[in-house]
Amino acid sequence: MLSHAYLIPLLPLAGFLVLALFGRRIGEPWAGWLGTATVAGSFVLSLVTYGALLGRTGSGREVTDVVYNWIPAIPHSGFQVSASLLVDPLSMTMVLFVTGISTLIHLYSIGYMDGDGDFPKFFLYLNLFVASMLVLVLGGNLLMTFVGWEGVGVCSYWLISFWFGRDSAASAGKKAFLYNRVADVGFLLAMFLVFERTGTLSYGSAGGGGFLGQAASLPPSTRTAVCLLLFLAAAGKSAQFPLFPWLADAMEGPTPVSALIHAATMVTAGVYLMCRIGPLLSLSHTAQLVVSIVGVGTAFVAASIGCAQQDIKKVLAYSTVSQLGYMFLAVGTGAYEAAIFLMVAHAFFKGLLFLGAGSVIHGLHDEQDLKRMGNLRRYMKLTFWTVSVGVVAIAGIPPLSGFFAKGDVLDNAFAGSLFPWKVMWAVGLATALLTAYYMTRLLVLAFLGDDRWKAVVDGGRAKKDPHESPWVMTVPLVVLAVLAVVGGALNLPGHLSFDPLRWLAPVFGPGAFEEHLSGSSQWVLGVVDALVALVGAGVAFRLWSRETERPALEPALLQRSWYLDEVTDATLGRPGQALARMAASFDTRVIDGAVTGVARLTRGAGSGLRRVQTGYVRQYALGITVGLVVLVGYVTFLAVAR
Amino acid sequence: MPNDNVFPFLSMLIVIPAGFALVAAAVPRTMGERAQRVMVEVVGAAGMLSTLALAVTMAIRFKLHDGGFQMTSSHQWAPSVGVSWHLGIDGISLFLVLMTAVLFPLALLGGRVKRNPQAHVAWLLLLEAGCLGSFVSLDLVLFFVFFELTLVPVYFIIAGWGYAKRSQAAVKFFLYTFLGSAFLLIGIVAVAVIHQHQTGVLTFDLPALEKTIAGTGTATQILLFLGFTAAFAVKAPIFPFHTWSPDAYAESPTAGVVILSAVMAKLGTYGILRFDLGLFPRATVDLAPYLLTLGVVGILYGAVVACAQRDLKRLMAYSSLAHIGFIVLGTFALTTQGVSGGVLQMVNHGLVTAALFLLIGWIYERRRSSQTSELRGLQRPAPVMAAAFTLAMLASIGLPGLNGFVGEFLILSGTFLSHRWWAVVATFGVVVAAVYLLWAYQQVFHHQPEGENATTRDLSWREGAVMVPLVLLIVFLGVYPKPVLDRITPTIDQLVQSVDQATGTTQPGTGPTTAAPGSRP
């Protein structure tokens, strides 16, 4: 099975092709079931592959699978790229949770997109997204990863602007693409540099002949440059400061898209990339420092914004940015396992929260404003309970998955020595407090309190009562809720017996905290985490269960996302437009002006030739034709006469 | 000189379209307008398709791992003036010939005209003969004849079937390129005179001239280089010689603009690669930093100006300027990787630009406008058209998996090896390309359509049939460029080595053992 790993991305790709050709004929709901089936098939295949990989040990757990020769060897430079897949514990962990979550969200979408005129097209995009995401994580070299990287980017663009009749959706899709494009410059430059210095773009560990195996022999400046360039790309894809505004706008897409692409999978690609180049990153102190500072900074800033958002999806979007920041903090402190652990756990509970939000939006007939919700627990019991599980998990209250996953990151930050005075840990802990606060605020505003949605009148009609969603939508909710509860078991601290993430070991060494922290300090840190989470949740409950308007707690600075959009617009957007206008007028006035000027000058000067140069180019053209005919005829005559 | 084929492939490549042009022109008017239209279109299609069949046969017979000229055809023509009928094809020209042979029938079918189809078809066939002749000529005079021959049909196509300001645009195009050609002609004569001075033989044969001219002094080479490059820079166009192109592209009818941007632009970049590098290696190496700079400026400037355009065809003209900049960059990187990428990019740009201009032409046919302000929400009534536009747009942006990416990547990474900072700056051009294309797409295809926009027809079967081969090629070359690269790289490696030998330089290597990478000495 290990040599047939290409089937994993191929299956959803085949689904994409079938839907592209026959999607409209297949129609609703079978197009949805087809899409779901191909992704579910991929999930089964990855389980089998995972099993085969578990049966091996040590370097046997790294299998490179060359599908075909993509760019053949260029003479002299030896540039050569295969369409190759790297099957190892890291990629398979990613593949498993990507295909698993995708299957659930495909299923959910059959219900959510019910009745949409472009139903088949939605699954077409979704299938292509899954195929691209799988190429991204399975790619055996930087260029293959880049193929998937751009593929998910373009699918994200299509899905955000899925309802392109709305200007805001169309613009949001474009914005996402452009932010990512800027970041991609980093990816491209990193590839050029890696190729120049190592002659290859393949990952490959010590024995694999790839560039990661040569990490130790590269000059330090090169290592740092490559890591920082790739981090630029990662910061775009994973929405880190200052490149995160696109993710909030991306919420214009249908909610299953937000759950799958903009929470669970695509946005974690940056974290995955950083983990993938871990052997290189671990050798660059500067790059690690930058990654962790940006990570923890983003975590805090985004969490603060999340506290003041009114749109249920925007709260979740900033929450995602914040959690991704935690993952980068872990990466920066060398705790790659913790990053992957939080990534998987986050996929469970954030996927759950988005799907829950989707259920709410669906039930309330497209209402997203938290202030116009309230008391939904009476009408949507299942949604309420599953969302509550998600909130408890992300807030970091034991024993749900979020507590262990976030705890792992914070412990590593505490034990790490990158930055003095445990600043990283302290900021991370403050973020945890905010996380518990804004998530509880969301839960309370949506599900408790009065039925405020009753007062909302749209077009003279009162809203109909909210309704619970159909089974295709609630089953994924329940499955994800279960996973969010027990997900912590993936990596229990304190060397308890069951420890499956340990099998990432051939890829990553042990995290910092395992080397530096004693068992008792881990217990103390765990208790502190839990207390902070409870305090945050309690404060939010006190503040928001009775009152819905507290302007002091929702300052404009936070509501407007620290004015990042305004700053970007003022520094890049408007000057860019002005530059384009200036360049265009320069082109017509100066460059073309010079050309026409010269032409006029010639015409004026050559008064004797004026009669010929009256602009009748027809005459010139005719002249050329006649001249050519004469020339050719003369030459032929010479040849014949000879 | 021996001819290594019994069948004169390359001569036929020129004779067939030229012959069919005569046939098309000879179709009598007396048979009635409709019958005549059908007749000339059948003649045109037959001529172009048989040319295509011939080109495909050649590509199949093309020998791998051979960097030299193949299927050469050499006949004494006018020995007293040193002109010969010398044709040959190698890794540089093979795919340009193929691309030309593919695009002409598509342009014919996709850009049909209502008025006087007879002349339109005949001019197109003649133009095809001229383009193909330019790509396979190995005699400087012969090349010049074909190179100039292309001007006439294009002039008449723009002036005859163009849009409102067609005559000014045609005149500007004609005079501008004609002026450039004057320098080329002077250069060609000078090269032959120098050769005759040294060897006593008067010839315009390229391989013979390369042997002597490549060894002349740097100062002489630079002057000759500038003369040759003037013509090619205008034709391509390369910044700052591009200002004829927005007008000419905007006013051309569909078939004209497709050929102008996709095929004839490559005459310029091809000329640089074929003649400048082979004849003037020292000047090439000395002037490379300047040409690289023009390439990079073209990439960024073209993209930035494109952002301010409100007409799709003018936007595409500046977009072309940027993409041609990439080709220039790859060429003057003077690494096998960069130059090979440049050749691949010539083909890729041809296919993608052709697809986009055809689509824009069809939008114009429906809505009588290519202004972004008047087009809105077309994806709703015309989803197939929108899908084709999206694919071509993404290829143009350089999305991996589509053809544009491989060429751009090889160019940028190949340039990075020899001239790092030019490559770094050029990489930012990739971002700006996305800005204007996505903006244009949003303006034209997104939003809620109203009025006439809401009832825009989707692609017809004929238009779909034109688009399918382009779409398949765009995807195929992105997923599997190996067959193309395998045939391009031996020639390019040979060419770059000859430049290195003539100038005593070496192209930089890669890997951990590389000493101090950076600029070529």
Side-chain angles (χ1 to χ4, degrees):
Chain A
M1 185 57 222
L2 285 173
S3 55
H4 294 292
Y6 63 89
L7 289 172
I8 299 174
L10 201 63
L11 209 52
L13 188 67
F16 159 77
L17 288 174
V18 171
L19 288 173
L21 294 174
F22 311 111
R24 267 192 273 184
R25 225 164 297 165
I26 297 174
E28 191 182 342
W30 296 108
W33 286 107
L34 177 77
T36 312
T38 56
V39 179
S42 271
F43 178 62
V44 173
L45 283 175
S46 11
L47 278 177
V48 177
T49 312
Y50 170 95
L53 202 63
L54 273 191
R56 300 183 172 205
T57 50
S59 60
R61 283 185 170 185
E62 185 186 303
V63 181
T64 304
D65 187 2
V66 176
V67 185
Y68 70 93
N69 193 353
W70 181 25
I71 299 177
I74 305 287
H76 203 90
S77 68
F79 182 79
Q80 193 268 330
V81 181
S82 308
S84 69
L85 305 179
L86 174 61
V87 179
D88 76 345
L90 175 59
S91 63
M92 283 316 294
T93 308
M94 299 292 295
V95 166
L96 267 180
F97 95 80
V98 167
T99 50
I101 302 257
S102 298
T103 308
L104 291 173
I105 294 179
H106 269 74
L107 182 67
Y108 177 93
S109 306
I110 295 176
Y112 192 87
M113 298 306 289
D114 172 41
D116 192 287
D118 286 324
F119 184 90
K121 203 159 85 185
F122 184 79
F123 287 90
L124 165 96
Y125 292 148
L126 223 51
N127 261 30
L128 185 62
F129 167 77
V130 175
S132 308
M133 187 71 203
L134 291 171
V135 169
L136 192 164
V137 295
L138 280 169
N141 52 60
L142 279 172
L143 206 59
M144 278 303 280
T145 299
F146 191 66
V147 170
W149 189 270
E150 295 293 286
V152 295
V154 76
C155 292
S156 158
Y157 160 72
W158 282 327
L159 285 163
I160 295 169
S161 30
F162 188 75
W163 289 314
F164 59 82
R166 268 204 324 245
D167 284 8
S168 54
S171 298
K174 188 181 65 183
K175 183 172 178 180
F177 197 97
L178 293 182
Y179 266 82
N180 278 289
R181 203 70 187 164
V182 171
D184 288 343
V185 170
F187 208 130
L188 286 168
L189 292 177
M191 284 194 280
F192 303 156
L193 191 56
V194 165
F195 172 66
E196 185 201 54
R197 293 308 171 92
T198 67
T200 179
L201 292 177
S202 298
Y203 295 120
S205 55
F211 72 91
L212 292 176
Q214 302 178 32
S217 58
L218 289 173
S221 58
T222 307
R223 292 197 293 243
T224 303
V226 169
C227 290
L228 288 180
L229 286 168
L230 286 176
F231 178 59
L232 172 62
K237 190 69 66 192
S238 294
Q240 295 298 290
F241 186 87
L243 298 175
F244 66 66
W246 71 266
L247 190 62
D249 288 24
M251 297 300 120
E252 288 285 341
T255 304
V257 171
S258 314
L260 179 63
I261 301 185
H262 304 115
T265 57
M266 182 187 84
V267 288
T268 63
V271 182
Y272 163 75
L273 182 66
M274 289 288 110
C275 291
R276 180 48 83 197
I277 62 154
L280 196 61
L281 184 63
S282 304
L283 296 176
S284 169
H285 190 263
T286 317
Q288 284 187 307
L289 197 62
V290 171
V291 171
S292 33
I293 291 174
V294 172
V296 77
T298 308
F300 181 80
V301 168
S304 74
I305 299 170
C307 295
Q309 295 300 311
Q310 216 162 301
D311 181 322
I312 185 168
K313 285 180 76 180
K314 291 259 162 98
V315 178
L316 293 177
Y318 284 108
S319 160
T320 304
V321 174
S322 171
Q323 299 287 313
L324 289 166
Y326 271 129
M327 295 176 211
F328 280 106
L329 170 63
V331 166
T333 48
Y336 303 104
E337 271 187 31
I340 297 288
F341 182 27
L342 180 57
M343 184 195 294
V344 175
H346 177 254
F348 294 156
F349 57 66
K350 189 55 66 62
L352 166 65
L353 285 166
F354 264 112
L355 295 188
S359 184
V360 166
I361 295 165
H362 195 73
L364 271 179
H365 312 287
D366 298 325
E367 180 61 73
Q368 297 190 195
D369 190 342
L370 282 169
K371 304 278 173 84
R372 299 161 131 200
M373 295 180 181
N375 204 20
L376 292 178
R377 80 193 144 125
R378 271 193 53 209
Y379 304 89
M380 312 176 75
K381 288 212 168 52
L382 191 78
T383 304
F384 169 64
W385 285 111
T386 48
V387 169
S388 304
V389 168
V391 169
V392 175
I394 193 177
I397 294 168
L400 273 63
S401 56
F403 169 74
F404 296 106
K406 197 187 297 172
D408 222 1
V409 175
L410 289 175
D411 291 357
N412 277 291
F414 187 84
S417 51
L418 272 176
F419 211 72
W421 311 306
K422 316 258 177 237
V423 171
M424 302 273 189
W425 172 78
V427 178
L429 198 65
T431 307
L433 181 78
L434 293 178
T435 308
Y437 168 84
Y438 68 70
M439 285 313 300
T440 311
R441 170 176 173 269
L442 178 147
L443 185 73
V444 167
L445 284 176
F447 291 96
L448 307 181
D450 305 322
D451 314 36
R452 292 184 303 279
W453 47 269
K454 277 190 175 156
V456 178
V457 178
D458 271 346
R461 281 183 297 130
K463 286 245 178 198
K464 279 183 282 184
D465 272 8
H467 58 84
E468 189 55 278
S469 302
W471 71 268
V472 284
M473 291 173 71
T474 49
V475 166
L477 280 176
V478 173
V479 175
L480 284 173
V482 171
L483 288 170
V485 173
V486 301
L490 283 175
N491 203 19
L492 287 176
H495 306 287
L496 295 177
S497 52
F498 185 62
D499 210 2
L501 268 209
R502 244 353 11 223
W503 68 282
L504 283 171
V507 187
F508 306 126
F513 88 103
E514 287 174 42
E515 287 172 3
H516 299 296
L517 282 187
S518 64
S520 55
S521 21
Q522 286 184 39
W523 273 107
V524 173
L525 286 171
V527 170
V528 171
D529 292 347
L531 283 176
V532 162
L534 287 170
V535 168
V539 169
F541 190 83
R542 282 288 309 253
L543 286 172
W544 294 100
S545 56
R546 299 257 159 70
E547 190 67 49
T548 57
E549 297 300 332
R550 290 184 183 276
L553 291 174
E554 294 172 345
L557 174 74
L558 299 185
Q559 280 190 333
R560 308 287 293 273
S561 318
W562 292 51
Y563 298 109
L564 213 55
D565 267 331
E566 284 82 351
V567 170
T568 314
D569 195 40
T571 54
L572 290 171
R574 267 173 280 148
Q577 285 168 1
L579 177 72
R581 276 196 303 272
M582 268 166 52
S585 105
F586 174 81
D587 199 64
T588 40
R589 290 197 190 153
V590 180
I591 298 188
D592 198 33
V595 173
T596 23
V598 169
R600 280 211 194 97
L601 210 67
T602 333
R603 198 190 287 183
S607 54
L609 290 168
R610 182 165 285 179
R611 198 158 294 180
V612 192
Q613 292 194 329
T614 40
Y616 286 116
V617 175
R618 246 165 227 275
Q619 288 174 4
Y620 300 151
L622 212 62
I624 288 189
T625 321
V626 171
L628 281 174
V629 167
V630 169
L631 181 71
V632 170
Y634 173 68
V635 164
T636 318
F637 171 74
L638 284 181
V640 173
R642 185 179 57 94
Chain B
M1 228 176 276
N3 296 316
D4 53 24
N5 266 295
V6 185
F7 187 77
F9 278 100
L10 296 174
S11 303
M12 292 304 287
L13 207 55
I14 301 163
V15 170
I16 291 177
F20 273 89
L22 291 177
V23 174
V27 171
R29 274 163 205 269
T30 49
M31 65 202 310
E33 207 176 312
R34 272 204 58 179
Q36 194 210 20
R37 163 187 291 274
V38 173
M39 194 69 191
V40 291
E41 282 180 349
V42 167
V43 169
M48 289 175 183
L49 290 177
S50 40
T51 310
L52 174 61
L54 190 68
V56 170
T57 316
M58 277 169 43
I60 294 167
R61 294 174 59 109
F62 191 84
K63 287 196 286 292
L64 275 167
H65 314 297
D66 181 352
F69 289 108
Q70 303 186 20
M71 299 176 220
T72 50
S73 163
S74 183
H75 298 281
Q76 294 284 2
W77 188 15
S80 55
V81 287
V83 180
S84 63
W85 179 268
H86 189 186
L87 310 177
I89 196 163
D90 65 356
I92 298 173
S93 44
L94 174 66
F95 292 98
L96 292 171
V97 164
L98 262 180
M99 176 193 79
T100 307
V102 167
L103 290 181
F104 265 91
L106 298 180
L108 179 77
L109 191 61
R112 291 166 75 194
V113 291
K114 291 207 176 68
R115 206 176 51 75
N116 195 359
Q118 179 176 31
H120 189 248
V121 171
W123 284 127
L124 275 177
L125 281 162
L126 189 64
L127 182 57
E128 181 171 22
C131 291
L132 289 172
S134 310
F135 285 134
V136 297
S137 294
L138 296 184
D139 182 283
L140 265 66
V141 169
L142 197 60
F143 170 80
F144 186 76
V145 168
F146 285 123
F147 190 75
E148 289 307 292
L149 188 64
T150 58
L151 280 187
V152 181
V154 171
Y155 169 77
F156 281 108
I157 288 173
I158 299 179
W161 292 269
Y163 300 166
K165 293 184 197 153
R166 55 182 176 271
S167 42
Q168 287 109 302
V171 169
K172 191 170 177 182
F173 158 76
F174 192 92
L175 288 182
Y176 209 146
T177 47
F178 195 53
L179 188 70
S181 301
F183 289 99
L184 175 61
L185 185 61
I186 296 168
I188 288 176
V189 171
V191 162
V193 167
I194 293 172
H195 179 82
Q196 191 185 24
H197 198 72
Q198 288 189 5
T199 63
V201 181
L202 176 64
T203 180
F204 290 95
D205 190 60
L206 179 65
L209 291 171
E210 275 178 3
K211 291 195 189 95
T212 51
I213 303 299
T216 52
T218 311
T220 315
Q221 282 199 9
I222 288 182
L223 278 176
L224 292 169
F225 178 100
L226 292 176
F228 273 66
T229 311
F232 301 142
V234 171
K235 198 85 157 191
I238 297 173
F239 176 88
F241 306 105
H242 62 273
T243 51
W244 62 267
S245 70
D247 294 333
Y249 288 10
E251 301 305 328
S252 281
T254 302
V257 69
V258 166
I259 299 307
L260 201 53
S261 62
V263 179
M264 289 183 62
K266 306 311 173 302
L267 289 179
T269 50
Y270 167 80
I272 289 176
L273 200 52
R274 174 68 79 214
F275 300 105
D276 284 355
L277 267 63
L279 287 170
F280 322 119
R282 292 182 184 163
T284 302
V285 169
D286 274 14
L287 296 177
Y290 301 100
L291 269 299
L292 285 167
T293 307
L294 286 186
V296 172
V297 170
I299 291 171
L300 293 175
Y301 180 85
V304 168
V305 177
C307 290
Q309 301 306 312
R310 294 296 174 262
D311 177 272
L312 287 176
K313 289 176 100 181
R314 297 187 78 87
L315 182 140
M316 282 299 300
Y318 287 102
S319 164
S320 271
L321 180 63
H323 282 96
I324 298 289
F326 275 106
I327 299 171
V328 174
L329 189 71
T331 303
F332 287 95
L334 298 176
T335 59
T336 305
Q337 191 168 333
V339 182
S340 302
V343 175
L344 188 60
Q345 173 80 354
M346 288 190 213
V347 178
N348 290 336
H349 174 255
L351 296 172
V352 171
T353 308
L356 287 170
F357 270 124
L358 281 167
L359 288 161
I360 294 170
W362 296 335
I363 292 175
Y364 188 92
E365 278 176 21
R366 289 159 167 76
R367 300 279 300 98
R368 309 313 301 169
S369 172
S370 51
Q371 297 289 323
T372 52
S373 55
E374 292 171 33
L375 305 167
R376 216 169 148 77
L378 297 190
Q379 188 173 340
R380 190 56 70 199
V384 179
M385 181 196 268
F389 198 97
T390 305
L391 187 94
M393 168 184 86
L394 292 174
S396 183
I397 291 176
L399 191 83
L402 302 177
N403 65 348
F405 175 73
V406 184
E408 265 180 28
F409 190 87
L410 289 176
I411 289 169
L412 288 171
S413 57
T415 309
F416 193 86
L417 296 176
S418 61
H419 297 85
R420 175 184 293 181
W421 295 106
W422 279 270
V424 169
V425 177
T427 305
F428 284 88
V430 172
V431 180
V432 197
V435 174
Y436 61 78
L437 279 173
L438 289 187
W439 174 84
Y441 188 86
Q442 188 187 350
Q443 294 298 310
V444 175
F445 288 98
H446 282 164
H447 308 294
Q448 237 15 295
E450 284 152 13
E452 269 190 74
N453 284 321
T455 53
T456 307
R457 260 187 313 115
D458 206 345
L459 295 191
S460 67
W461 282 105
R462 172 178 63 89
E463 292 161 339
V466 171
M467 215 23 70
V468 164
L470 289 174
V471 165
L472 290 180
L473 283 170
I474 286 173
V475 174
F476 178 79
L477 291 179
V479 175
Y480 196 58
K482 187 172 180 297
V484 177
L485 280 170
D486 277 344
R487 286 163 180 79
I488 291 176
T489 50
T491 302
I492 299 302
D493 201 40
Q494 208 169 304
L495 179 66
V496 175
Q497 272 178 29
S498 76
V499 170
D500 281 346
Q501 268 167 18
T503 55
T505 51
T506 44
Q507 58 169 315
T510 56
T513 51
T514 314
S519 295
R520 185 183 288 262

